[in-house]
DNA sequence: TCTGGGGTCCTAGGACCC
DNA sequence: TCTGGGGTCCTAGGACCC
């Protein structure tokens, strides 16, 4: 008995919210992401902007060259989008308790048992779209199929505001003409390897042996592609997945060589990560330092502790010592720095009490009141501002 | 041409233990 | 002196996704 999986994907989510909230921006190109002239990329853009060839992950410099002067550029308001996302998830939850949220604007539903109650898949999909429009005034694209892969590809099929149903007996014809670039897990590195084999469509991928695919793309990915081309994929949902790591990082507007700025930024990252960890009840054993040098050379260094922690002082101390122990890194221009926490383990009784206090009072017991934002650190690029920051920092200690 | 931030997963080598 | 196989943990890098 085949299952029926539904994939919901909000159309140009961030940009659509901004246009909804600013009616005068409707019909104009809207880019959510970095500001032109800054370092950064397009997070999402409206369909009016896509007509100029602009898309997510494109550098903002490149996007700005293509877009007309009347384009609106806005910084993401993530907390706001998260609230809208909650409203949408509530709409979905009213349809089926079997939901897996995969990102801020995407979710899978298992609607296998729903057809007997509501009607055919098309009707279920249409009702969900209506529910979302009534609740938040946004459009979504929906795909329905016998597994996650088909549902996802179907939702991409008729964007925006699409609704596509692919039944099991239609899967082979649905997939065969699609470009092989739709394969999940195939990116800029593996795509050229398949292209070299003369592959253009999923039908072509089907002609390749499992051996060839594994050799060209790696054991894991190759196997995945072999089955994906045949429409064979997971049809289960994985709700309530626990997150495995917490991290905070930032790219500097200009490469940094001043160690005091790196120090301050790691303090900020440690504070943010510690705060999130404590709020979500996580204590980690592994602290990871991430650093990116000019022009774009990225390294990570990690250390495992015996005792798990969510204390910003521990995070900072470890990250800084990982940085300081690399003799070759000293003095090199740094583009990005940050740190992460992972490797959860059960808290001790004392730690449980601290976590409980955080949850109850909303205060971090390790936080002595010096709350800085990323913007505040950015403002410290002037020598004067850096001095002031250090002064505050010393007072704090 | 320039490449954010927050994630997950995979690979591969080495240490260490049985 | 030469040398098994398996399992787990740790670490670093990198591909990919939204």
């Amino acid at each position: 008995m085949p299952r029926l999986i539904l994939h919901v994907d909000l159309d140009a989510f961030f940009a659509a919210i901004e246009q909804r909230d600013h009616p005068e921006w409707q019909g104009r190109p809207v880019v959510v992401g970095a500001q032109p002239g800054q370092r950064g990329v397009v997070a999402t853009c409206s369909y009016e902007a896509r007509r100029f060839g602009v898309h997510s992950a494109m550098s903002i410099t490149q996007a700005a060259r293509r877009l007309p002067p009347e384009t609106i550029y806005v910084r993401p308001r993530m907390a706001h989008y998260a609230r809208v996302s909650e409203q949408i998830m509530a709409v979905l939850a009213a349809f089926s308790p079997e939901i897996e949220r995969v990102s801020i604007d995407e979710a899978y539903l298992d609607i296998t048992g729903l057809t007997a109650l509501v009607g055919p898949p098309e009707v279920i999909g249409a009702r969900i779209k209506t529910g979302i429009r009534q609740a938040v005034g946004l459009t979504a694209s929906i795909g329905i199929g016998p597994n996650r892969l088909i549902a996802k590809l179907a939702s991409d099929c008729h964007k925006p505001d699409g609704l596509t149903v692919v039944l099991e007996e239609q899967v082979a014809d649905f997939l065969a003409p699609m470009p092989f670039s739709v394969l999940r897990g195939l990116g800029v590195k593996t795509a050229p390897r398949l292209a070299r084999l003369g592959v253009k469509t999923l039908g072509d991928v089907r002609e390749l042996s499992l051996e060839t695919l594994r050799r060209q793309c790696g054991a894991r990915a190759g196997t995945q592609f072999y089955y994906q081309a045949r429409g064979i994929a997971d049809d289960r949902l994985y709700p309530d997945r626990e997150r495995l790591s917490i991290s905070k990082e930032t790219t500097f507007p200009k490469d940094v060589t001043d160690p005091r700025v790196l120090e301050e930024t790691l303090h900020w990252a440690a504070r943010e990560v510690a705060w999130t960890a404590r709020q979500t009840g996580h204590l980690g054993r592994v602290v990871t330092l991430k650093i990116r040098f000019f022009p774009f050379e990225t390294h990570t260094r990690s250390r495992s502790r015996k005792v798990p922690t969510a204390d910003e002082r521990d995070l900072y101390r470890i990250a800084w010592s990982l940085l300081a122990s690399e003799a070759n890194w000293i003095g090199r221009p740094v583009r990005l720095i940050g740190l992460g926490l992972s490797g959860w383990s059960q808290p001790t009784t004392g730690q449980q009490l601290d976590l409980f206090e955080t949850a109850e009072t909303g205060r971090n017991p390790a936080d002595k009141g010096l709350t800085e934002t990323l913007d505040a650190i950015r403002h410290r690029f002037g020598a004067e501002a850096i001095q002031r920051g250090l002064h505050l920092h010393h007072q704090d200690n």
Side-chain angles (χ1 to χ4, degrees):
Chain A
M1 166 74 177
R3 304 207 70 77
L4 219 43
I5 305 298
L6 181 149
H7 182 249
V8 193
D9 192 345
L10 274 290
D11 302 316
F13 189 51
F14 301 169
I17 293 175
E18 296 298 345
Q19 285 182 317
R20 178 199 74 175
D21 294 351
H22 305 87
E24 68 276 18
W25 293 353
Q26 269 159 31
R28 294 174 66 178
V30 173
V31 173
V32 182
Q35 291 291 309
Q38 283 183 342
R39 278 178 163 173
V41 297
V42 175
T44 319
C45 60
S46 67
Y47 282 86
E48 293 83 2
R50 294 180 194 200
R51 279 201 274 281
F52 293 90
V54 173
H55 54 81
S56 297
M58 178 182 266
S59 90
I60 199 72
T61 312
Q62 200 178 354
R65 270 201 290 268
R66 294 173 180 235
L67 289 162
E70 67 267 25
T71 303
I72 308 284
Y73 297 89
V74 282
R75 300 284 304 169
R77 297 187 290 155
M78 293 309 296
H80 180 51
Y81 309 152
R83 283 190 293 272
V84 179
S85 178
E86 290 304 325
Q87 294 176 279
I88 293 164
M89 297 302 155
V91 171
L92 300 181
F95 280 88
S96 170
E98 294 178 88
I99 298 182
E100 178 186 335
R101 187 178 178 170
V102 288
S103 75
I104 196 166
D105 71 335
E106 267 184 64
Y108 288 98
L109 268 73
D110 189 328
I111 57 164
T112 312
L114 219 56
T115 47
L117 281 149
V118 181
E122 288 83 357
V123 173
I124 299 171
R127 291 225 186 141
I128 290 178
K129 280 158 63 88
T130 305
I132 293 172
R133 193 179 300 111
Q134 285 173 349
V136 296
L138 299 171
T139 66
S141 289
I142 284 180
I144 300 171
N147 60 50
R148 303 166 66 97
L149 172 74
I150 303 302
K152 168 87 179 167
L153 293 179
S155 73
D156 278 336
C157 234
H158 296 106
K159 271 183 155 294
D161 207 12
L163 172 56
T164 309
V165 179
V166 180
L167 300 177
E168 202 173 34
E169 57 270 25
Q170 303 168 320
V171 166
D173 290 341
F174 173 70
L175 291 179
M178 289 195 160
F180 73 91
S181 55
V182 303
L183 287 168
R184 313 296 302 157
L186 178 121
V188 288
K189 297 289 173 177
T190 34
R193 297 194 211 162
L194 281 187
R196 262 204 306 277
L197 299 174
V199 168
K200 289 195 169 54
T201 65
L202 288 189
D204 298 337
V205 176
R206 249 184 119 142
E207 303 289 311
L208 299 175
S209 70
L210 180 58
E211 269 319 294
T212 304
L213 282 166
R214 288 171 66 104
R215 198 170 53 245
Q216 292 295 325
C217 310
R220 188 81 189 195
T223 309
Q224 285 292 318
F225 298 161
Y226 180 84
Y227 288 109
Q228 282 185 39
R230 287 158 180 76
I232 299 167
D234 202 347
D235 62 1
R236 292 161 296 183
L237 263 49
Y238 302 88
D240 312 319
R241 285 191 49 169
E242 192 194 10
R243 99 157 127 176
L244 301 174
S245 66
I246 297 167
S247 63
K248 205 80 191 176
E249 66 186 47
T250 189
T251 295
F252 297 111
K254 267 186 67 192
D255 295 341
V256 165
T257 45
D258 187 342
R260 292 172 303 178
V261 176
L262 300 180
E263 205 176 312
E264 282 298 309
T265 311
L266 277 183
H267 268 299
W268 159 79
R271 202 152 43 232
E272 294 284 325
V273 168
W275 174 240
T276 305
R278 301 182 75 93
Q279 271 199 320
T280 53
H282 286 102
L283 291 162
R285 294 179 48 246
V286 184
V287 178
T288 303
L289 167 78
K290 179 172 173 182
I291 192 163
R292 177 171 290 151
F293 295 109
F294 171 86
F296 205 76
E297 180 190 320
T298 311
H299 297 277
T300 59
R301 291 290 182 272
S302 64
R303 183 175 299 159
S304 295
R305 292 162 47 100
K306 276 249 160 35
V307 184
T309 185
D311 186 323
E312 65 176 84
R313 291 160 296 187
D314 288 332
L315 303 188
Y316 172 76
R317 217 177 291 127
I318 292 167
W320 187 257
S321 78
L322 286 167
L323 176 64
S325 59
E326 296 286 340
N328 296 339
W329 289 0
I330 295 167
R332 296 187 62 185
V334 176
R335 181 187 173 97
L336 166 152
I337 199 164
L339 67 83
L341 184 65
S342 58
W344 312 137
S345 38
Q346 290 305 310
T348 64
T349 311
Q351 289 169 329
Q352 279 176 359
L353 288 173
D354 275 358
L355 290 170
F356 180 73
E357 186 184 336
T358 305
E360 283 291 291
T361 64
R363 273 189 304 110
N364 185 344
D367 186 352
K368 299 196 199 99
L370 180 69
T371 51
E372 289 169 273
T373 63
L374 176 56
D375 284 341
I377 288 169
R378 284 199 170 125
H379 283 127
R380 288 208 188 128
F381 275 91
E384 227 188 82
I386 290 169
Q387 285 307 321
R388 198 169 65 241
L390 286 173
H391 180 61
L392 281 172
H393 171 50
H394 292 316
Q395 275 185 338
D396 190 43
N397 286 347

